[in-house]
C-alpha cells in the first residue's frame, strides 16, 4: 500500500487534501481539507493506535500482543502522545 504523503517534498510544510473522489459514481469534491491528525503519524504509530483501540485500550493486552513488557508498551504510547501533542501545536 502506498503511504499518504503528509509533508511537502519541496519545503516540508504540511500538505492539505484538495480533492476527494467517489470511484462508484465519479463524483469529485474540491476544496482545502486538513488531514486527520492521526494521518500525520508514521505508519507504525498509526498501527499501534489502531491495535490499542481494538484491544479496548488495554496496555496489558497490547504488551501480550506485541510480546513486549508493559513498561515498554507504556513508553511507546507516551511517545505517540508526545508526537500528537506536537502535531496539534
Amino acid at each position: 500500500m502506498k503511504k499518504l504523503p503528509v509533508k511537502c517534498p519541496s519545503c516540508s510544510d504540511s500538505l492539505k487534501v484538495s480533492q476527494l473522489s467517489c470511484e462508484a459514481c465519479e463524483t469529485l469534491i474540491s476544496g482545502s481539507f486538513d488531514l486527520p491528525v492521526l494521518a500525520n503519524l508514521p505508519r507504525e504509530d498509526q498501527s499501534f493506535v489502531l491495535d490499542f483501540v481494538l484491544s479496548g485500550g488495554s496496555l496489558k493486552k497490547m504488551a501480550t500482543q506485541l510480546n513486549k513488557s508493559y513498561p515498554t508498551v507504556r513508553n511507546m504510547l507516551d511517545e505517540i502522545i508526545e508526537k500528537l501533542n506536537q502535531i496539534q501545536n
Side-chain angles (χ1 to χ4, degrees), residues 33-83:
F33 309 99
D34 291 328
L35 289 169
V37 173
L38 294 177
N40 290 285
L41 289 174
R43 180 158 289 166
E44 63 272 5
D45 291 345
Q46 290 178 25
S47 293
F48 181 94
V49 171
L50 177 62
D51 291 341
F52 180 65
V53 170
L54 293 175
S55 74
S58 169
L59 289 175
K60 183 177 177 182
K61 286 182 184 177
M62 287 293 295
T64 301
Q65 184 177 334
L66 296 172
N67 198 28
K68 296 190 183 291
S69 70
Y70 178 93
T72 299
V73 174
R74 178 72 235 188
N75 288 337
M76 292 168 70
L77 178 60
D78 288 340
E79 289 172 9
I80 292 171
I81 291 168
E82 180 59 33
K83 288 176 188 176

Side-chain angles (χ1 to χ4, degrees), residues 9-25:
S10 184
C11 71
S12 297
D13 200 10
S14 295
L15 293 173
K16 291 195 178 271
V17 176
S18 61
Q19 188 172 15
L20 300 169
S21 64
C22 175
E23 291 182 355
C25 69

